[in-house]
Amino acid sequence: MSKILSSIETNILLSNDDCIKAMQRLHPESVDLILTDPPYNLGLFMKDRDTNLKKMRDNFFGAAGWDDLDFAEWEESMNKFFIESARLLKKGGAMIVFMSVIKVETLIRLAEQNGFYYKTTGIWHKLNPMPRNMNLHFVNSTEAWVYLTYKKKTGTFNNDGKMVHDFFETAITSSTEKKFGKHPTQKPEQLLQQFISLLSNEGDTVLDPFMGSGTTGVVAKRNYRKFIGIELNKEYFQNAKKRIEETKCNKTNCGDNVI
Ligand SMILES: C[S@@+](CC[C@H](N)C(=O)[O-])C[C@H]1O[C@@H](n2cnc3c(N)ncnc32)[C@H](O)[C@@H]1O
């Protein structure tokens, strides 16, 4: 991986590394939109549950970084993420961060401390959630997302005069979108499409520092955006790379490069 990207000569840059280290190697003010879904750090919370959430957690979430941290460590990690994000975003750039509702307040505080302007907390509703423990309690069918802009109170918002609600509904990720390998928290392409279209323009650079299976990269490439994706886990990284490589982009400037 080149130490610093002097310019984004190729349009897809992928890094199998810790996101803080990789972000530190990128050029300041080079990103238009950060669209990301960091670990929610619910590992310890789930470990203590006596339902089969414990099993799910041990199978899936235990392998991911930042998921078993105590609260102070997680907060410190997220603060470093905001410091680097603030360095990389252009003035007026935007950020969408998925997060569990119980962490949203902390996330907004950290963002504001690092120069972000808080815009919206929205909800993604899953139309067909896993019916896990449905006879014990409410079925978990929602996730929150937080919308922030950097150093300006407004940024790109391509709504074409139409009202856009802070509530998106889609089905959970289909098996066809998982054909390169399973990721426990893979987001549906249809969901991320809404954010890419609304909050960025063709030719803009989109960054996902926690790219997982690469969904942000797939949608960014399909929509003629440049993309920088970072993923710590080797297996997820390889799957994301294959998935993004396979994505069709009909314009001539859609190069791939692994940094
Ligand atoms: C919630 S998942 C992202 C899922 C993604 N939105 C998708 O559609 O596949 C978070 C990802 O962040 C990765 N991760 C955790 N800590 C990381 C770190 N320090 N640097 C880079 N990636 C990290 C995990 O391995 C996991 O794949």
Side-chain angles (χ1 to χ4, degrees):
M1 174 172 173
S2 59
K3 289 286 173 219
I4 294 178
L5 305 175
S6 54
S7 66
I8 304 200
E9 291 155 357
T10 49
N11 292 322
I12 310 281
L13 296 165
L14 304 179
S15 173
N16 183 194
D17 203 347
D18 171 72
C19 63
I20 303 301
K21 288 189 200 150
M23 289 166 90
Q24 284 168 346
R25 292 192 285 258
L26 299 171
H27 253 307
E29 295 177 54
S30 57
V31 172
D32 299 279
L33 170 66
I34 297 179
L35 171 52
T36 200
D37 178 19
Y40 295 173
N41 194 38
L42 296 177
L44 294 178
F45 169 75
M46 286 185 173
K47 212 183 223 168
D48 288 342
R49 295 206 145 191
D50 55 3
T51 65
N52 62 16
L53 277 177
K54 179 185 180 309
K55 200 167 155 215
M56 182 185 83
R57 181 247 158 231
D58 288 342
N59 286 346
F60 293 134
F61 297 106
W66 298 15
D67 204 49
D68 265 346
L69 306 180
D70 70 29
F71 185 78
E73 283 175 308
W74 176 80
E75 199 178 344
E76 180 53 29
S77 303
M78 287 308 291
N79 193 42
K80 286 185 186 152
F81 158 76
F82 277 113
I83 290 170
E84 290 313 316
S85 298
R87 199 179 65 78
L88 294 178
L89 271 178
K90 296 176 189 172
K91 193 174 170 193
M95 183 190 272
I96 294 286
V97 192
F98 283 90
M99 191 42 59
S100 68
V101 174
I102 55 172
K103 298 272 171 60
V104 162
E105 198 180 338
T106 306
L107 191 96
I108 295 170
R109 177 170 49 76
L110 293 173
E112 287 179 337
Q113 280 168 9
N114 284 287
F116 285 82
Y117 179 71
Y118 167 66
K119 300 273 291 180
T120 311
T121 300
I123 292 294
W124 169 42
H125 178 227
K126 304 166 204 180
L127 290 165
N128 53 344
M130 299 290 279
R132 239 175 244 126
N133 300 311
M134 58 176 274
N135 295 319
L136 297 179
H137 49 68
F138 301 102
V139 168
N140 179 357
S141 65
T142 58
E143 289 180 39
W145 46 268
V146 177
Y147 170 37
L148 306 151
T149 48
Y150 185 61
K151 285 208 168 158
K152 277 175 100 176
K153 293 187 176 175
T154 53
T156 300
F157 198 72
N158 299 320
N159 65 329
D160 296 331
K162 295 187 192 113
M163 182 165 62
V164 184
H165 290 207
D166 54 7
F167 178 85
F168 292 133
E169 282 190 307
T170 76
I172 59 170
T173 309
S174 68
S175 52
T176 47
E177 289 183 24
K178 295 196 170 194
K179 69 178 176 186
F180 290 108
K182 287 204 165 76
H183 188 287
T185 59
Q186 183 168 333
K187 291 283 180 288
E189 293 170 17
Q190 192 194 348
L191 175 67
L192 300 196
Q193 176 67 51
Q194 320 238 27
F195 295 114
I196 298 262
S197 318
L198 271 171
L199 305 178
S200 69
N201 297 305
E202 273 192 29
D204 278 1
T205 299
V206 178
L207 165 67
D208 187 347
F210 300 93
M211 77 169 162
S213 68
T215 314
T216 308
V218 167
V219 179
K221 184 174 176 184
R222 195 177 285 147
N223 288 271
Y224 317 124
R225 272 63 166 168
K226 295 167 188 150
F227 177 67
I228 305 173
I230 308 163
E231 169 56 47
L232 184 62
N233 181 289
K234 201 170 173 185
E235 191 185 331
Y236 298 156
F237 176 82
Q238 290 304 336
N239 292 341
K241 181 171 170 283
K242 279 189 238 152
R243 215 179 141 207
I244 294 166
E245 276 168 351
E246 198 193 58
T247 299
K248 294 271 178 293
C249 172
N250 296 326
K251 294 208 172 171
T252 49
N253 64 353
C254 299
D256 290 342
N257 188 20
V258 178
I259 56 174

